[in-house]
């Protein structure tokens, strides 16, 4: 009989109630609703996917141009373009429920009521294994809010996460913004309100200007910066957050290859998300997965757990 | 649609800023139709980070040709690639031109390297009795594919901005002239197919509307994923935002909100 122990459990991680066969997750907004990756990769080999953020009602999204490149980075202003909850339930769920790995649905609301309604409705769907609460999209305007993002305000984070928590027993992720004074305080607020994990970082706000036309390069004027150029900033946020909370931290921000992913895991991330890399190389997630396995082998580590947070800081 | 590595069969300069590159597509990538594109990674480094989309210029089972203009870093890197080196390609992507089976005439309007997908289209219009290619360029040295269109049996008219070849002015002047000559004659079963700068396409769409001629335009926008995942390449249409990569790049010109 073949010994199955090593490979099956070597890379598995637990986030809240969610058991992932490996720590590689495709990030929200970069893999559509799974179907968009069909023909390019076998996504069932990955740990999980996070869907494009859905909102209660359809959102048209921001005017084009919506994406523009900068050295080592991608600036986007999509504006949560999605067809709303009802469309998601009828058009996207049939594909998602056929997947053989966990599905994490990203949600965003204009107010607490919408967040709660989304969480409640989604909790009735068996294939929705977890909910990632997007508190940090830089491309939408929150009316009457003191801060431009819920993720910039410990009170708003607490209110939204505890509201959603009451509506669902599914694993709950809070997706955080790096654009804050102290990420530790925000992560603690999410933990205190009942989040099972925090995922960070969302994109950095930024902009670019076309000096020929003297116009902003994005239709939405400002956007969110992702890609390899933000990795050092993201690593710092992830390390800060893992030091502040007991719940798992899902790390992301510019992960392009296995080495990048391992840096995040060393900084304390229990799992990682691959985002912009999917556009550059759809196979990035699978290659990262293979690379993490090889790294564990090279370093004679029994499993991924012996790597999480093992950053060696002298003195 | 598939991600594949293809060997460059040739990469030649054909005009001051323009190159034609050819590669062999794998069978599994499927049939390519005129107007579809390939999203190509030109470098393993992260600058440029994203792939670049290139429309098929010439299509055969053994060989796909793309025609491109060197406009920035990515195309400059691509132009330096040697025969035999490998390219990381995703494609064929998007929806191409739709040729009505009973068409009496096809009018192709190309601005600059907009000739790229229109050449592939012209090659596929063997059943259309009359194919007219109107090509606009900056100067005579920038006129591309004139002989290729002629070789396919198309009637070619040129416009250059400096008047160094053909009509002095814009390619849309040629299109107006074409229809003015037709005044009084029935204009049915003709289709305009256009590719070029957005301002040109907008003008072509207006002329098409005035003469009640169906018109298909191939649009350009920054494309990130190329597969409909990122929703980055949105274009405003009468039925909301559509994606260049998945719904296009070819659209009915009436659908576009210019």
């Amino acid at each position: 009989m073949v010994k199955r122990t090593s490979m099956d459990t070597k890379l598995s991680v637990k986030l809240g109630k969610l058991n992932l066969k490996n720590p590689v997750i495709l990030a929200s907004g970069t893999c559509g609703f799974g179907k968009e990756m069909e023909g390019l990769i076998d996504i069932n080999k990955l740990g999980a996917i996070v869907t494009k953020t859905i909102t209660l009602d359809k959102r048209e999204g921001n005017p084009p141009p919506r994406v523009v490149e900068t050295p080592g980075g991608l600036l986007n202003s999509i504006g949560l373009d999605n067809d709303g909850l009802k469309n998601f339930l009828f058009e996207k769920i049939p594909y998602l429920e056929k997947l053989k790995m966990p599905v994490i649905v990203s949600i965003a609301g204009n107010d607490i009521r919408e967040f709660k309604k989304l969480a409640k409705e989604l909790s009735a769907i068996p294939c929705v294994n977890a909910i990632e609460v997007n508190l940090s999209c830089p491309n939408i305007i929150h009316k009457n809010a003191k801060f431009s993002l819920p993720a910039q305000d410990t009170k708003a984070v607490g209110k939204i996460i505890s509201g959603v928590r009451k509506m669902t027993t599914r694993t709950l992720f809070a997706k955080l913004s790096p654009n804050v004074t102290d990420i530790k305080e925000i992560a603690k607020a999410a933990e205190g309100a009942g989040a099972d994990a925090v995922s960070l970082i969302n994109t950095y706000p930024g902009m670019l200007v076309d000096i020929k036309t003297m116009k902003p390069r994005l239709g939405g004027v400002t956007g969110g910066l992702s890609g390899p150029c933000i990795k050092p900033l993201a690593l710092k946020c992830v390390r800060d957050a893992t030091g502040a909370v007991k719940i798992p931290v899902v790390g992301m921000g510019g992960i392009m290859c296995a080495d990048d992913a391992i840096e995040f895991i060393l900084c304390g991330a229990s799992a990682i998300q691959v985002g912009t890399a999917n556009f550059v190389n759809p196979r990035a997630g699978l290659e990262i997965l293979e690379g993490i396995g090889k790294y564990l082998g090279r370093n004679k580590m029994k499993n991924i757990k012996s790597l999480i947070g093992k950053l060696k800081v002298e003195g | 649609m598939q991600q594949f590595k293809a060997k460059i069969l040739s990469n030649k300069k054909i005009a001051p800023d323009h190159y034609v590159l050819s590669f062999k597509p794998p069978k599994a990538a499927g049939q390519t139709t005129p107007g579809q594109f390939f999203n190509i990674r030109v470098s393993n480094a992260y600058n440029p980070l994203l792939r670049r989309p290139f429309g098929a210029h010439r299509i055969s089972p053994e060989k796909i040709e793309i025609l491109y203009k060197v406009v920035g870093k990515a195309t400059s890197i691509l132009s330096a690639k040697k025969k035999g080196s490998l390219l990381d390609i995703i494609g064929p992507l998007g929806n191409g031109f739709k040729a009505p089976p009973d068409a009496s005439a096809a009018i192709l309007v190309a601005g600059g390297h907009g000739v790229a997908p229109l050449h592939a289209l012209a090659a596929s219009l063997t059943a259309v009795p009359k194919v007219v290619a109107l090509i606009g360029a900056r100067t005579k040295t920038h006129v591309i594919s004139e002989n290729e269109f002629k070789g396919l049996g198309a009637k070619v008219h040129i416009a250059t901005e400096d008047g160094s070849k053909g009509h002095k002015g814009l390619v849309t002047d040629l299109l107006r002239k074409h229809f003015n000559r037709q005044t009084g004659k029935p204009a049915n079963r003709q289709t305009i197919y256009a590719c070029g700068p957005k301002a040109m396409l907008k003008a072509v769409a207006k002329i098409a509307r005035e003469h009640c001629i169906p018109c298909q335009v191939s649009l350009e926008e920054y494309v990130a994923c190329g597969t409909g995942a990122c929703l980055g390449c949105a274009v405003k249409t009468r039925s909301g935002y559509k994606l260049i990569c998945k719904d296009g790049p070819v659209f009915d010109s009436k659908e576009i909100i210019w």
Side-chain angles (χ1 to χ4, degrees):
Chain A
M1 209 179 116
V2 186
K3 266 181 95 179
R4 292 171 53 93
T5 49
S6 55
M7 267 331 274
D8 285 357
T9 56
K10 197 175 171 181
L11 290 172
S12 68
V13 291
K14 196 165 188 229
L15 304 170
K17 279 186 248 171
L18 200 60
N19 286 301
L20 304 188
K21 60 180 177 282
N22 65 66
V24 181
I25 304 169
L26 299 190
S28 180
T30 65
C31 58
F33 295 90
K35 199 174 192 316
E36 289 81 350
M37 302 303 281
E38 212 175 34
L40 291 173
I41 58 160
D42 180 2
I43 55 172
N44 287 313
K45 287 186 175 155
L46 296 167
I49 62 160
V50 189
T51 67
K52 170 76 185 167
T53 297
I54 61 161
T55 50
L56 197 56
D57 299 316
K58 179 184 163 72
R59 282 183 65 96
E60 200 184 27
N62 289 346
R66 289 180 172 184
V67 289
V68 60
E69 210 181 299
T70 186
L74 169 64
L75 191 67
N76 87 78
S77 173
I78 310 293
L80 298 187
D81 175 340
N82 81 102
D83 288 328
L85 176 67
K86 202 174 270 175
N87 174 278
F88 174 78
L89 297 178
F90 287 100
E91 302 293 330
K92 313 296 184 192
I93 286 292
Y95 184 83
L96 291 170
E97 66 189 1
K98 278 187 277 177
L99 295 178
K100 295 180 188 73
M101 52 26 150
V103 171
I104 304 166
V105 177
S106 172
I107 61 165
N110 284 319
D111 52 40
I112 179 82
R113 184 193 63 89
E114 291 190 3
F115 276 106
K116 283 167 81 171
K117 182 148 180 18
L118 283 159
K120 191 180 171 202
E121 299 269 344
L122 291 170
S123 298
I125 313 296
C127 81
V128 177
N129 304 90
I131 293 171
E132 185 176 85
V133 185
N134 184 357
L135 301 165
S136 46
C137 174
N139 297 323
I140 58 169
I141 294 155
H142 294 273
K143 282 179 203 143
N144 312 321
K146 192 172 159 198
F147 297 89
S148 57
L149 307 174
Q152 287 169 332
D153 179 2
T154 50
K155 278 188 190 139
V157 169
K159 219 168 111 188
I160 294 167
I161 295 297
S162 61
V164 170
R165 178 77 286 170
K166 284 187 196 108
M167 295 292 144
T168 186
T169 54
R170 303 284 158 87
T171 298
L172 204 57
F173 296 69
K175 173 97 175 250
L176 305 183
S177 168
N179 197 33
V180 294
T181 312
D182 187 357
I183 191 75
K184 300 189 284 293
E185 291 307 312
I186 305 287
K188 276 188 210 162
E191 181 183 43
D196 296 300
V198 284
S199 39
L200 60 147
I201 59 174
N202 205 321
T203 55
Y204 273 89
M207 68 180 292
L208 287 164
V209 176
D210 182 337
I211 61 164
K212 261 191 238 161
T213 60
M214 301 185 188
K215 287 178 182 170
R217 296 279 299 270
L218 288 174
V221 183
T222 62
L225 183 64
S226 64
C229 67
I230 68 166
K231 187 186 77 174
L233 307 164
L235 278 167
K236 161 84 166 65
C237 289
V238 165
R239 181 166 179 251
D240 285 350
T242 54
V245 294
K246 290 189 184 68
I247 53 174
V249 173
V250 180
M252 80 198 84
I255 297 178
M256 303 299 287
C257 61
D259 290 5
D260 295 337
I262 292 160
E263 284 188 71
F264 277 83
I265 297 167
L266 285 168
C267 284
S270 298
I272 56 99
Q273 291 187 12
V274 182
T276 301
N278 294 322
F279 306 151
V280 179
N281 173 23
R283 284 197 271 258
L286 295 178
E287 288 170 8
I288 288 167
L289 177 56
E290 196 188 330
I292 295 173
K294 279 185 183 160
Y295 181 87
L296 293 179
R298 270 202 311 276
N299 290 282
K300 302 194 171 46
M301 289 176 160
K302 253 197 237 138
N303 57 50
I304 183 92
K305 286 162 207 98
S306 35
L307 188 63
I308 298 169
K310 289 296 149 64
L311 184 73
K312 292 176 183 170
V313 181
E314 304 277 318
Chain B
M1 180 253 293
Q2 219 197 20
Q3 182 179 7
F4 58 90
K5 290 246 162 69
K7 245 188 203 164
I8 296 175
L9 301 172
S10 67
N11 190 17
K12 284 184 197 138
K13 193 173 191 167
I14 56 148
D17 311 317
H18 295 84
Y19 287 75
V20 168
L21 180 148
S22 63
F23 62 85
K24 188 178 180 345
K27 275 203 189 83
Q31 184 74 36
T32 304
T33 57
Q36 284 191 303
F37 69 95
F38 292 86
N39 216 6
I40 300 180
R41 189 175 183 191
V42 301
S43 159
N44 287 334
Y46 301 139
N47 185 22
L49 177 66
L50 298 173
R51 290 166 183 271
R52 292 291 186 273
F54 298 97
H57 177 55
R58 203 186 286 248
I59 301 165
S60 77
E62 299 79 37
K63 197 165 86 171
I64 297 284
E65 271 183 21
I66 57 163
L67 184 160
Y68 61 98
K69 183 182 180 187
V70 174
V71 290
K73 193 160 184 171
T75 42
S76 166
I77 291 171
L78 191 62
S79 71
K81 298 257 181 208
K82 298 274 180 284
K83 179 183 168 179
S85 57
L86 286 175
L87 272 186
D88 177 348
I89 303 174
I90 298 176
L93 298 165
N95 289 304
F97 295 102
K98 287 165 205 76
D102 60 342
S104 67
I107 300 122
L108 316 182
V109 189
H113 58 293
V115 294
L118 293 176
H119 177 266
L121 174 68
S124 75
L125 296 175
T126 45
V128 179
K130 188 179 168 192
V131 178
V132 179
L134 310 177
I135 304 174
R138 256 169 49 217
T139 73
K140 68 175 179 188
T141 52
H142 293 87
V143 176
I144 310 157
S145 296
E146 180 188 1
N147 290 331
E148 282 82 351
F149 278 106
K150 280 183 179 161
L152 291 167
K155 200 162 172 7
V156 180
H157 299 283
I158 310 279
T160 52
E161 283 172 33
D162 68 348
S164 52
K165 184 162 188 170
H167 166 76
K168 184 179 178 184
L170 302 174
V171 70
T172 42
D173 302 339
L174 296 178
L175 186 64
R176 275 195 193 286
K177 260 198 227 166
H178 177 84
F179 287 119
N180 289 341
R181 274 200 301 272
Q182 282 194 346
T183 312
K185 289 183 211 164
N188 61 342
R189 294 191 290 124
Q190 296 189 75
T191 304
I192 299 171
Y193 302 92
C195 183
K198 201 163 180 185
M200 179 205 104
L201 295 178
K202 187 179 171 180
V204 170
K206 187 166 176 269
I207 297 167
R209 200 174 59 230
E210 285 163 11
H211 294 270
C212 297
I213 311 278
C215 175
Q216 295 173 31
V217 290
S218 177
L219 298 182
E220 257 191 320
E221 187 56 81
Y222 290 107
V223 167
C225 71
T227 59
C230 74
L231 314 180
C233 57
V235 53
K236 198 157 202 168
T237 75
R238 303 209 180 272
S239 40
Y241 284 119
K242 298 270 180 199
L243 300 179
I244 298 260
C245 74
K246 205 174 124 216
D247 305 307
V250 177
F251 292 89
D252 181 335
S253 69
K254 288 198 303 291
E255 278 295 300
I256 305 299
I257 296 172
W258 298 95

